[in-house]
Amino acid sequence: MTDSTTATKTADRSERTESTFDPTQDTGADEILSELRAWLGINWDPDLTVGEWWERLGLAGWSAPGLPENAYGKSMARADTVLVAQEISKFGALGAPAGLGLLLAAPTIATHGTQEQIDHYVRDIVTGQKAWCQLFSEPQAGSDLAGLQTKAVRDGDEWVINGQKVWTSGGQYADLGMLLARTDPNVPKHAGISYFAFEMRQPGVDVRPLREMTGHALFNEVFLTEARVPDSALIGGVNNGWAAANTTLMNERAGLGSGGGNAAGGDSAPPGTVVGALTKRAGDFVEVGPGSGGRRRGKGDENGEGASSGASGAFSIMRSGPGLLIRLAQKNGASKDAGIRQDLVRLYTLTELGRFNALRLKAVKENGGDIPGLANVSKLSMSQIVRLTRDLGLQIIGPFGTLHAYDADDKAGLAQATGDPFAGGITEMALFAQAPSIYGGTDQIQKNIIGERVLGLPKEPNNDRVTPFSELPKNA
């Protein structure tokens, strides 16, 4: 939505459509899952390499079923794509390649790229051949992303890139990056940005990991000095990068929000050429056996850290919902505390609301409508869920919450000392919980978007949409 009139019209249409929503109704998911199970029965082979398995999964449309059919998908609603991922896990097969390529780059290129770009880039994403990172934020351009100062200057059929990016998740493992750079400083800031598919493995790219208080280095700062990108890697056209960036951000908020499936990371084989998982046996990344439910074993490098598992314990707790905490509370007697029981119910309620909202959006879209701002609401809800999970987890494990494992040996020692294999994940989650309310757009930015684009509230007065970027005041 770009103005209050459009937002109101869309909201009115959504309100009429939403009245038919029933979260218990058959939405066609049974038919989809039946087809998937039959396909898995024929195609899953644990003795395939990871690369061979992902080639089958991706080209059949099951890696990213939410993408359109011309982009290696099946045009499914997000709620159904979450069910597909869960069903693959239940079957005991290795899931789709996790990471920002599948979550962000693929849907953006499918929306704004040419068919040639889709075939070149998206194919390698859904088959796990290439891992991606996001080169958006800068030291002086975080929440004010359009204030970015990384420059792209045309040189024949290439662009020369100079600048700095920060908070780049998985940059040290990425083959490519979604790069926003300024291609015209003499127009208003939103109008002079372009979006590139940027090769990370080239001279002039310096990736420096930023170690967090979890002990991991999920984020990085990236210095770009005379790096190059071909004109053919320009997604959406020159100076049209803000539209493509908004598609990326919309998918980020929807994917990271409650009910979105948390596709950014988790325990799986890491995609791309850097970590080296593509040539390994696919079955070695899953536990196949009675009651295993296809749980990921999370083999990345020798330290157990794959491309997307810098905070794997935290992500695992985030994905597990209230179930894990309920079991821990029952096991150690914390469930006898009425306050803890009440908060567990509250956590379950918030999680179910996220799931129902995803299904509600599916029903509305199937009838030609939309729910303006739901991705932003879901992102805010996820921040609330993560904070509650942090507080509950620490209450449940008690004094053990003061102990944290910073490497594999520490994790083994912590599990032995506490008798609880999940204690390390709980403390990691507590340390990591501050991040979700910041990355993907801060809680404050989400509220601004809801207020201005959905509710039609007036924006703060400024002239940055009419003044050339080169004339705007900037931090030194």
Side-chain angles (χ1 to χ4, degrees), residues 202-238:
Q202 63 166 299
V205 178
D206 182 12
V207 180
R208 303 179 188 177
L210 298 170
R211 193 159 297 277
E212 306 123 38
M213 60 183 177
T214 61
H216 298 295
L218 180 65
F219 305 105
N220 303 268
E221 54 183 347
V222 180
F223 295 86
L224 307 170
T225 307
E226 298 294 303
R228 290 182 173 264
V229 59
D231 193 59
S232 60
L234 183 62
I235 307 298
V238 178

PDB file of all heavy atoms in Angstrom, residues 202-238:
ATOM      1  N   GLN A 202      35.207 -12.951  -5.113  1.00  0.00           N
ATOM      2  CA  GLN A 202      35.976 -12.191  -6.084  1.00  0.00           C
ATOM      3  C   GLN A 202      36.912 -11.246  -5.347  1.00  0.00           C
ATOM      4  O   GLN A 202      36.701 -10.910  -4.169  1.00  0.00           O
ATOM      5  CB  GLN A 202      35.043 -11.404  -7.012  1.00  0.00           C
ATOM      6  CG  GLN A 202      34.203 -10.347  -6.320  1.00  0.00           C
ATOM      7  CD  GLN A 202      33.547  -9.377  -7.280  1.00  0.00           C
ATOM      8  OE1 GLN A 202      34.246  -8.671  -8.016  1.00  0.00           O
ATOM      9  NE2 GLN A 202      32.216  -9.363  -7.297  1.00  0.00           N
ATOM     10  N   PRO A 203      37.972 -10.777  -6.029  1.00  0.00           N
ATOM     11  CA  PRO A 203      38.860  -9.783  -5.409  1.00  0.00           C
ATOM     12  C   PRO A 203      38.077  -8.522  -5.064  1.00  0.00           C
ATOM     13  O   PRO A 203      37.131  -8.146  -5.754  1.00  0.00           O
ATOM     14  CB  PRO A 203      39.897  -9.504  -6.509  1.00  0.00           C
ATOM     15  CG  PRO A 203      39.862 -10.712  -7.393  1.00  0.00           C
ATOM     16  CD  PRO A 203      38.442 -11.200  -7.370  1.00  0.00           C
ATOM     17  N   GLY A 204      38.475  -7.877  -3.970  1.00  0.00           N
ATOM     18  CA  GLY A 204      37.813  -6.654  -3.560  1.00  0.00           C
ATOM     19  C   GLY A 204      36.677  -6.856  -2.586  1.00  0.00           C
ATOM     20  O   GLY A 204      36.015  -5.891  -2.195  1.00  0.00           O
ATOM     21  N   VAL A 205      36.426  -8.112  -2.178  1.00  0.00           N
ATOM     22  CA  VAL A 205      35.374  -8.410  -1.202  1.00  0.00           C
ATOM     23  C   VAL A 205      36.035  -8.944   0.067  1.00  0.00           C
ATOM     24  O   VAL A 205      36.660 -10.004   0.052  1.00  0.00           O
ATOM     25  CB  VAL A 205      34.364  -9.445  -1.745  1.00  0.00           C
ATOM     26  CG1 VAL A 205      33.309  -9.760  -0.684  1.00  0.00           C
ATOM     27  CG2 VAL A 205      33.708  -8.932  -3.019  1.00  0.00           C
ATOM     28  N   ASP A 206      35.902  -8.213   1.144  1.00  0.00           N
ATOM     29  CA  ASP A 206      36.517  -8.579   2.420  1.00  0.00           C
ATOM     30  C   ASP A 206      35.407  -8.803   3.446  1.00  0.00           C
ATOM     31  O   ASP A 206      34.734  -7.868   3.860  1.00  0.00           O
ATOM     32  CB  ASP A 206      37.455  -7.460   2.878  1.00  0.00           C
ATOM     33  CG  ASP A 206      38.170  -7.780   4.188  1.00  0.00           C
ATOM     34  OD1 ASP A 206      38.124  -8.947   4.627  1.00  0.00           O
ATOM     35  OD2 ASP A 206      38.769  -6.849   4.779  1.00  0.00           O
ATOM     36  N   VAL A 207      35.208 -10.058   3.849  1.00  0.00           N
ATOM     37  CA  VAL A 207      34.153 -10.430   4.792  1.00  0.00           C
ATOM     38  C   VAL A 207      34.781 -10.644   6.163  1.00  0.00           C
ATOM     39  O   VAL A 207      35.674 -11.482   6.325  1.00  0.00           O
ATOM     40  CB  VAL A 207      33.419 -11.706   4.344  1.00  0.00           C
ATOM     41  CG1 VAL A 207      32.323 -12.073   5.335  1.00  0.00           C
ATOM     42  CG2 VAL A 207      32.835 -11.534   2.945  1.00  0.00           C
ATOM     43  N   ARG A 208      34.310  -9.882   7.151  1.00  0.00           N
ATOM     44  CA  ARG A 208      34.860  -9.971   8.508  1.00  0.00           C
ATOM     45  C   ARG A 208      33.757 -10.360   9.485  1.00  0.00           C
ATOM     46  O   ARG A 208      32.837  -9.575   9.748  1.00  0.00           O
ATOM     47  CB  ARG A 208      35.465  -8.627   8.916  1.00  0.00           C
ATOM     48  CG  ARG A 208      36.537  -8.120   7.966  1.00  0.00           C
ATOM     49  CD  ARG A 208      37.085  -6.774   8.395  1.00  0.00           C
ATOM     50  NE  ARG A 208      37.982  -6.204   7.390  1.00  0.00           N
ATOM     51  CZ  ARG A 208      38.557  -5.006   7.478  1.00  0.00           C
ATOM     52  NH1 ARG A 208      38.319  -4.256   8.566  1.00  0.00           N
ATOM     53  NH2 ARG A 208      39.337  -4.555   6.522  1.00  0.00           N
ATOM     54  N   PRO A 209      33.821 -11.568  10.043  1.00  0.00           N
ATOM     55  CA  PRO A 209      32.776 -12.018  10.974  1.00  0.00           C
ATOM     56  C   PRO A 209      32.698 -11.152  12.219  1.00  0.00           C
ATOM     57  O   PRO A 209      33.714 -10.648  12.723  1.00  0.00           O
ATOM     58  CB  PRO A 209      33.210 -13.454  11.322  1.00  0.00           C
ATOM     59  CG  PRO A 209      34.075 -13.872  10.170  1.00  0.00           C
ATOM     60  CD  PRO A 209      34.793 -12.631   9.735  1.00  0.00           C
ATOM     61  N   LEU A 210      31.492 -10.967  12.710  1.00  0.00           N
ATOM     62  CA  LEU A 210      31.223 -10.240  13.952  1.00  0.00           C
ATOM     63  C   LEU A 210      30.750 -11.252  14.991  1.00  0.00           C
ATOM     64  O   LEU A 210      29.651 -11.801  14.879  1.00  0.00           O
ATOM     65  CB  LEU A 210      30.146  -9.170  13.722  1.00  0.00           C
ATOM     66  CG  LEU A 210      30.486  -8.064  12.723  1.00  0.00           C
ATOM     67  CD1 LEU A 210      29.246  -7.228  12.416  1.00  0.00           C
ATOM     68  CD2 LEU A 210      31.602  -7.185  13.257  1.00  0.00           C
ATOM     69  N   ARG A 211      31.577 -11.506  15.996  1.00  0.00           N
ATOM     70  CA  ARG A 211      31.217 -12.511  16.997  1.00  0.00           C
ATOM     71  C   ARG A 211      30.251 -11.917  18.017  1.00  0.00           C
ATOM     72  O   ARG A 211      30.493 -10.849  18.570  1.00  0.00           O
ATOM     73  CB  ARG A 211      32.464 -13.056  17.689  1.00  0.00           C
ATOM     74  CG  ARG A 211      32.200 -14.314  18.523  1.00  0.00           C
ATOM     75  CD  ARG A 211      33.475 -15.086  18.757  1.00  0.00           C
ATOM     76  NE  ARG A 211      34.058 -15.577  17.520  1.00  0.00           N
ATOM     77  CZ  ARG A 211      33.678 -16.695  16.910  1.00  0.00           C
ATOM     78  NH1 ARG A 211      32.706 -17.428  17.426  1.00  0.00           N
ATOM     79  NH2 ARG A 211      34.246 -17.068  15.794  1.00  0.00           N
ATOM     80  N   GLU A 212      29.140 -12.630  18.237  1.00  0.00           N
ATOM     81  CA  GLU A 212      28.098 -12.141  19.140  1.00  0.00           C
ATOM     82  C   GLU A 212      28.285 -12.720  20.541  1.00  0.00           C
ATOM     83  O   GLU A 212      29.150 -13.562  20.767  1.00  0.00           O
ATOM     84  CB  GLU A 212      26.719 -12.565  18.605  1.00  0.00           C
ATOM     85  CG  GLU A 212      26.452 -12.152  17.170  1.00  0.00           C
ATOM     86  CD  GLU A 212      26.113 -13.352  16.311  1.00  0.00           C
ATOM     87  OE1 GLU A 212      25.413 -14.267  16.790  1.00  0.00           O
ATOM     88  OE2 GLU A 212      26.566 -13.393  15.156  1.00  0.00           O
ATOM     89  N   MET A 213      27.410 -12.307  21.445  1.00  0.00           N
ATOM     90  CA  MET A 213      27.525 -12.802  22.810  1.00  0.00           C
ATOM     91  C   MET A 213      27.106 -14.262  22.932  1.00  0.00           C
ATOM     92  O   MET A 213      27.352 -14.891  23.966  1.00  0.00           O
ATOM     93  CB  MET A 213      26.711 -11.935  23.772  1.00  0.00           C
ATOM     94  CG  MET A 213      25.240 -11.847  23.509  1.00  0.00           C
ATOM     95  SD  MET A 213      24.494 -10.711  24.719  1.00  0.00           S
ATOM     96  CE  MET A 213      22.792 -10.685  24.155  1.00  0.00           C
ATOM     97  N   THR A 214      26.511 -14.826  21.868  1.00  0.00           N
ATOM     98  CA  THR A 214      26.233 -16.265  21.870  1.00  0.00           C
ATOM     99  C   THR A 214      27.514 -17.067  21.694  1.00  0.00           C
ATOM    100  O   THR A 214      27.545 -18.265  21.965  1.00  0.00           O
ATOM    101  CB  THR A 214      25.276 -16.631  20.726  1.00  0.00           C
ATOM    102  OG1 THR A 214      25.899 -16.289  19.472  1.00  0.00           O
ATOM    103  CG2 THR A 214      23.945 -15.920  20.854  1.00  0.00           C
ATOM    104  N   GLY A 215      28.561 -16.420  21.201  1.00  0.00           N
ATOM    105  CA  GLY A 215      29.795 -17.110  20.867  1.00  0.00           C
ATOM    106  C   GLY A 215      29.908 -17.406  19.393  1.00  0.00           C
ATOM    107  O   GLY A 215      30.975 -17.770  18.900  1.00  0.00           O
ATOM    108  N   HIS A 216      28.811 -17.260  18.658  1.00  0.00           N
ATOM    109  CA  HIS A 216      28.801 -17.522  17.225  1.00  0.00           C
ATOM    110  C   HIS A 216      29.089 -16.243  16.447  1.00  0.00           C
ATOM    111  O   HIS A 216      29.070 -15.136  16.989  1.00  0.00           O
ATOM    112  CB  HIS A 216      27.437 -18.075  16.801  1.00  0.00           C
ATOM    113  CG  HIS A 216      27.095 -19.385  17.438  1.00  0.00           C
ATOM    114  ND1 HIS A 216      27.800 -20.538  17.190  1.00  0.00           N
ATOM    115  CD2 HIS A 216      26.114 -19.731  18.312  1.00  0.00           C
ATOM    116  CE1 HIS A 216      27.272 -21.540  17.880  1.00  0.00           C
ATOM    117  NE2 HIS A 216      26.255 -21.075  18.570  1.00  0.00           N
ATOM    118  N   ALA A 217      29.323 -16.423  15.162  1.00  0.00           N
ATOM    119  CA  ALA A 217      29.514 -15.289  14.260  1.00  0.00           C
ATOM    120  C   ALA A 217      28.531 -15.442  13.110  1.00  0.00           C
ATOM    121  O   ALA A 217      28.909 -15.763  11.980  1.00  0.00           O
ATOM    122  CB  ALA A 217      30.947 -15.226  13.760  1.00  0.00           C
ATOM    123  N   LEU A 218      27.269 -15.234  13.405  1.00  0.00           N
ATOM    124  CA  LEU A 218      26.231 -15.346  12.379  1.00  0.00           C
ATOM    125  C   LEU A 218      26.287 -14.155  11.434  1.00  0.00           C
ATOM    126  O   LEU A 218      26.003 -14.277  10.248  1.00  0.00           O
ATOM    127  CB  LEU A 218      24.857 -15.414  13.055  1.00  0.00           C
ATOM    128  CG  LEU A 218      23.630 -15.526  12.155  1.00  0.00           C
ATOM    129  CD1 LEU A 218      23.642 -16.849  11.406  1.00  0.00           C
ATOM    130  CD2 LEU A 218      22.347 -15.400  12.974  1.00  0.00           C
ATOM    131  N   PHE A 219      26.654 -12.986  11.957  1.00  0.00           N
ATOM    132  CA  PHE A 219      26.670 -11.754  11.169  1.00  0.00           C
ATOM    133  C   PHE A 219      28.098 -11.378  10.776  1.00  0.00           C
ATOM    134  O   PHE A 219      29.068 -11.835  11.374  1.00  0.00           O
ATOM    135  CB  PHE A 219      26.049 -10.605  11.970  1.00  0.00           C
ATOM    136  CG  PHE A 219      24.661 -10.892  12.464  1.00  0.00           C
ATOM    137  CD1 PHE A 219      24.435 -11.181  13.801  1.00  0.00           C
ATOM    138  CD2 PHE A 219      23.582 -10.893  11.596  1.00  0.00           C
ATOM    139  CE1 PHE A 219      23.158 -11.444  14.270  1.00  0.00           C
ATOM    140  CE2 PHE A 219      22.305 -11.149  12.048  1.00  0.00           C
ATOM    141  CZ  PHE A 219      22.087 -11.433  13.394  1.00  0.00           C
ATOM    142  N   ASN A 220      28.188 -10.514   9.773  1.00  0.00           N
ATOM    143  CA  ASN A 220      29.488 -10.066   9.278  1.00  0.00           C
ATOM    144  C   ASN A 220      29.417  -8.607   8.861  1.00  0.00           C
ATOM    145  O   ASN A 220      28.331  -8.059   8.645  1.00  0.00           O
ATOM    146  CB  ASN A 220      29.904 -10.878   8.043  1.00  0.00           C
ATOM    147  CG  ASN A 220      29.955 -12.367   8.289  1.00  0.00           C
ATOM    148  OD1 ASN A 220      30.999 -12.907   8.634  1.00  0.00           O
ATOM    149  ND2 ASN A 220      28.827 -13.046   8.099  1.00  0.00           N
ATOM    150  N   GLU A 221      30.590  -7.987   8.742  1.00  0.00           N
ATOM    151  CA  GLU A 221      30.701  -6.737   8.017  1.00  0.00           C
ATOM    152  C   GLU A 221      31.456  -7.040   6.729  1.00  0.00           C
ATOM    153  O   GLU A 221      32.357  -7.890   6.711  1.00  0.00           O
ATOM    154  CB  GLU A 221      31.395  -5.656   8.841  1.00  0.00           C
ATOM    155  CG  GLU A 221      32.750  -6.031   9.404  1.00  0.00           C
ATOM    156  CD  GLU A 221      33.346  -4.927  10.270  1.00  0.00           C
ATOM    157  OE1 GLU A 221      32.821  -3.805  10.230  1.00  0.00           O
ATOM    158  OE2 GLU A 221      34.336  -5.206  10.973  1.00  0.00           O
ATOM    159  N   VAL A 222      31.048  -6.390   5.640  1.00  0.00           N
ATOM    160  CA  VAL A 222      31.610  -6.682   4.325  1.00  0.00           C
ATOM    161  C   VAL A 222      32.120  -5.382   3.710  1.00  0.00           C
ATOM    162  O   VAL A 222      31.370  -4.411   3.585  1.00  0.00           O
ATOM    163  CB  VAL A 222      30.552  -7.321   3.396  1.00  0.00           C
ATOM    164  CG1 VAL A 222      31.160  -7.622   2.029  1.00  0.00           C
ATOM    165  CG2 VAL A 222      29.992  -8.602   4.015  1.00  0.00           C
ATOM    166  N   PHE A 223      33.398  -5.378   3.327  1.00  0.00           N
ATOM    167  CA  PHE A 223      34.009  -4.219   2.700  1.00  0.00           C
ATOM    168  C   PHE A 223      34.172  -4.499   1.204  1.00  0.00           C
ATOM    169  O   PHE A 223      34.744  -5.527   0.816  1.00  0.00           O
ATOM    170  CB  PHE A 223      35.365  -3.922   3.340  1.00  0.00           C
ATOM    171  CG  PHE A 223      35.260  -3.511   4.777  1.00  0.00           C
ATOM    172  CD1 PHE A 223      35.221  -4.468   5.792  1.00  0.00           C
ATOM    173  CD2 PHE A 223      35.181  -2.174   5.137  1.00  0.00           C
ATOM    174  CE1 PHE A 223      35.114  -4.100   7.124  1.00  0.00           C
ATOM    175  CE2 PHE A 223      35.073  -1.796   6.473  1.00  0.00           C
ATOM    176  CZ  PHE A 223      35.034  -2.761   7.465  1.00  0.00           C
ATOM    177  N   LEU A 224      33.663  -3.596   0.382  1.00  0.00           N
ATOM    178  CA  LEU A 224      33.692  -3.739  -1.071  1.00  0.00           C
ATOM    179  C   LEU A 224      34.601  -2.668  -1.662  1.00  0.00           C
ATOM    180  O   LEU A 224      34.333  -1.475  -1.523  1.00  0.00           O
ATOM    181  CB  LEU A 224      32.280  -3.604  -1.638  1.00  0.00           C
ATOM    182  CG  LEU A 224      31.214  -4.520  -0.999  1.00  0.00           C
ATOM    183  CD1 LEU A 224      29.815  -4.134  -1.464  1.00  0.00           C
ATOM    184  CD2 LEU A 224      31.504  -5.974  -1.319  1.00  0.00           C
ATOM    185  N   THR A 225      35.671  -3.112  -2.306  1.00  0.00           N
ATOM    186  CA  THR A 225      36.648  -2.179  -2.859  1.00  0.00           C
ATOM    187  C   THR A 225      36.928  -2.523  -4.317  1.00  0.00           C
ATOM    188  O   THR A 225      37.552  -3.562  -4.609  1.00  0.00           O
ATOM    189  CB  THR A 225      37.967  -2.221  -2.067  1.00  0.00           C
ATOM    190  OG1 THR A 225      37.695  -2.026  -0.671  1.00  0.00           O
ATOM    191  CG2 THR A 225      38.930  -1.156  -2.551  1.00  0.00           C
ATOM    192  N   GLU A 226      36.414  -1.687  -5.222  1.00  0.00           N
ATOM    193  CA  GLU A 226      36.598  -1.904  -6.660  1.00  0.00           C
ATOM    194  C   GLU A 226      36.121  -3.294  -7.087  1.00  0.00           C
ATOM    195  O   GLU A 226      36.678  -3.895  -8.013  1.00  0.00           O
ATOM    196  CB  GLU A 226      38.071  -1.703  -7.053  1.00  0.00           C
ATOM    197  CG  GLU A 226      38.599  -0.296  -6.809  1.00  0.00           C
ATOM    198  CD  GLU A 226      37.922   0.759  -7.702  1.00  0.00           C
ATOM    199  OE1 GLU A 226      37.974   0.602  -8.934  1.00  0.00           O
ATOM    200  OE2 GLU A 226      37.348   1.726  -7.150  1.00  0.00           O
ATOM    201  N   ALA A 227      35.112  -3.800  -6.419  1.00  0.00           N
ATOM    202  CA  ALA A 227      34.512  -5.074  -6.830  1.00  0.00           C
ATOM    203  C   ALA A 227      33.658  -4.843  -8.071  1.00  0.00           C
ATOM    204  O   ALA A 227      33.249  -3.715  -8.361  1.00  0.00           O
ATOM    205  CB  ALA A 227      33.669  -5.648  -5.695  1.00  0.00           C
ATOM    206  N   ARG A 228      33.359  -5.920  -8.782  1.00  0.00           N
ATOM    207  CA  ARG A 228      32.643  -5.768 -10.044  1.00  0.00           C
ATOM    208  C   ARG A 228      31.431  -6.688 -10.131  1.00  0.00           C
ATOM    209  O   ARG A 228      31.430  -7.778  -9.557  1.00  0.00           O
ATOM    210  CB  ARG A 228      33.583  -6.028 -11.229  1.00  0.00           C
ATOM    211  CG  ARG A 228      34.627  -4.917 -11.400  1.00  0.00           C
ATOM    212  CD  ARG A 228      35.537  -5.119 -12.581  1.00  0.00           C
ATOM    213  NE  ARG A 228      36.384  -3.941 -12.768  1.00  0.00           N
ATOM    214  CZ  ARG A 228      36.103  -2.948 -13.608  1.00  0.00           C
ATOM    215  NH1 ARG A 228      34.994  -3.000 -14.358  1.00  0.00           N
ATOM    216  NH2 ARG A 228      36.908  -1.908 -13.719  1.00  0.00           N
ATOM    217  N   VAL A 229      30.433  -6.215 -10.868  1.00  0.00           N
ATOM    218  CA  VAL A 229      29.235  -7.003 -11.103  1.00  0.00           C
ATOM    219  C   VAL A 229      28.757  -6.709 -12.523  1.00  0.00           C
ATOM    220  O   VAL A 229      28.747  -5.546 -12.954  1.00  0.00           O
ATOM    221  CB  VAL A 229      28.137  -6.672 -10.054  1.00  0.00           C
ATOM    222  CG1 VAL A 229      27.756  -5.210 -10.077  1.00  0.00           C
ATOM    223  CG2 VAL A 229      26.921  -7.554 -10.244  1.00  0.00           C
ATOM    224  N   PRO A 230      28.423  -7.747 -13.305  1.00  0.00           N
ATOM    225  CA  PRO A 230      28.008  -7.507 -14.695  1.00  0.00           C
ATOM    226  C   PRO A 230      26.633  -6.856 -14.771  1.00  0.00           C
ATOM    227  O   PRO A 230      25.803  -7.007 -13.870  1.00  0.00           O
ATOM    228  CB  PRO A 230      27.997  -8.908 -15.299  1.00  0.00           C
ATOM    229  CG  PRO A 230      27.791  -9.825 -14.144  1.00  0.00           C
ATOM    230  CD  PRO A 230      28.491  -9.173 -12.981  1.00  0.00           C
ATOM    231  N   ASP A 231      26.415  -6.138 -15.852  1.00  0.00           N
ATOM    232  CA  ASP A 231      25.126  -5.481 -16.052  1.00  0.00           C
ATOM    233  C   ASP A 231      23.997  -6.506 -16.128  1.00  0.00           C
ATOM    234  O   ASP A 231      22.853  -6.221 -15.767  1.00  0.00           O
ATOM    235  CB  ASP A 231      25.167  -4.645 -17.328  1.00  0.00           C
ATOM    236  CG  ASP A 231      23.988  -3.699 -17.448  1.00  0.00           C
ATOM    237  OD1 ASP A 231      23.812  -2.854 -16.554  1.00  0.00           O
ATOM    238  OD2 ASP A 231      23.228  -3.830 -18.426  1.00  0.00           O
ATOM    239  N   SER A 232      24.321  -7.729 -16.567  1.00  0.00           N
ATOM    240  CA  SER A 232      23.303  -8.786 -16.670  1.00  0.00           C
ATOM    241  C   SER A 232      22.799  -9.233 -15.307  1.00  0.00           C
ATOM    242  O   SER A 232      21.766  -9.908 -15.209  1.00  0.00           O
ATOM    243  CB  SER A 232      23.885  -9.995 -17.414  1.00  0.00           C
ATOM    244  OG  SER A 232      25.009 -10.524 -16.722  1.00  0.00           O
ATOM    245  N   ALA A 233      23.515  -8.851 -14.229  1.00  0.00           N
ATOM    246  CA  ALA A 233      23.116  -9.224 -12.864  1.00  0.00           C
ATOM    247  C   ALA A 233      22.245  -8.162 -12.205  1.00  0.00           C
ATOM    248  O   ALA A 233      21.923  -8.270 -11.023  1.00  0.00           O
ATOM    249  CB  ALA A 233      24.349  -9.477 -12.017  1.00  0.00           C
ATOM    250  N   LEU A 234      21.862  -7.143 -12.962  1.00  0.00           N
ATOM    251  CA  LEU A 234      20.999  -6.081 -12.454  1.00  0.00           C
ATOM    252  C   LEU A 234      19.555  -6.573 -12.439  1.00  0.00           C
ATOM    253  O   LEU A 234      18.992  -6.915 -13.488  1.00  0.00           O
ATOM    254  CB  LEU A 234      21.140  -4.854 -13.349  1.00  0.00           C
ATOM    255  CG  LEU A 234      20.378  -3.588 -12.987  1.00  0.00           C
ATOM    256  CD1 LEU A 234      20.819  -3.048 -11.641  1.00  0.00           C
ATOM    257  CD2 LEU A 234      20.593  -2.531 -14.072  1.00  0.00           C
ATOM    258  N   ILE A 235      18.953  -6.628 -11.265  1.00  0.00           N
ATOM    259  CA  ILE A 235      17.598  -7.170 -11.111  1.00  0.00           C
ATOM    260  C   ILE A 235      16.583  -6.028 -11.096  1.00  0.00           C
ATOM    261  O   ILE A 235      16.635  -5.158 -10.228  1.00  0.00           O
ATOM    262  CB  ILE A 235      17.463  -8.000  -9.811  1.00  0.00           C
ATOM    263  CG1 ILE A 235      18.557  -9.066  -9.735  1.00  0.00           C
ATOM    264  CG2 ILE A 235      16.074  -8.622  -9.721  1.00  0.00           C
ATOM    265  CD1 ILE A 235      18.541 -10.085 -10.826  1.00  0.00           C
ATOM    266  N   GLY A 236      15.687  -5.992 -12.069  1.00  0.00           N
ATOM    267  CA  GLY A 236      14.615  -4.996 -12.079  1.00  0.00           C
ATOM    268  C   GLY A 236      14.935  -3.703 -12.789  1.00  0.00           C
ATOM    269  O   GLY A 236      14.085  -2.821 -12.868  1.00  0.00           O
ATOM    270  N   GLY A 237      16.158  -3.554 -13.295  1.00  0.00           N
ATOM    271  CA  GLY A 237      16.505  -2.359 -14.039  1.00  0.00           C
ATOM    272  C   GLY A 237      17.230  -1.320 -13.211  1.00  0.00           C
ATOM    273  O   GLY A 237      17.168  -1.295 -11.979  1.00  0.00           O
ATOM    274  N   VAL A 238      17.929  -0.417 -13.903  1.00  0.00           N
ATOM    275  CA  VAL A 238      18.704   0.637 -13.250  1.00  0.00           C
ATOM    276  C   VAL A 238      17.778   1.577 -12.480  1.00  0.00           C
ATOM    277  O   VAL A 238      16.731   2.006 -12.986  1.00  0.00           O
ATOM    278  CB  VAL A 238      19.516   1.439 -14.287  1.00  0.00           C
ATOM    279  CG1 VAL A 238      20.291   2.558 -13.605  1.00  0.00           C
ATOM    280  CG2 VAL A 238      20.467   0.523 -15.048  1.00  0.00           C
TER     281      VAL A 238
END
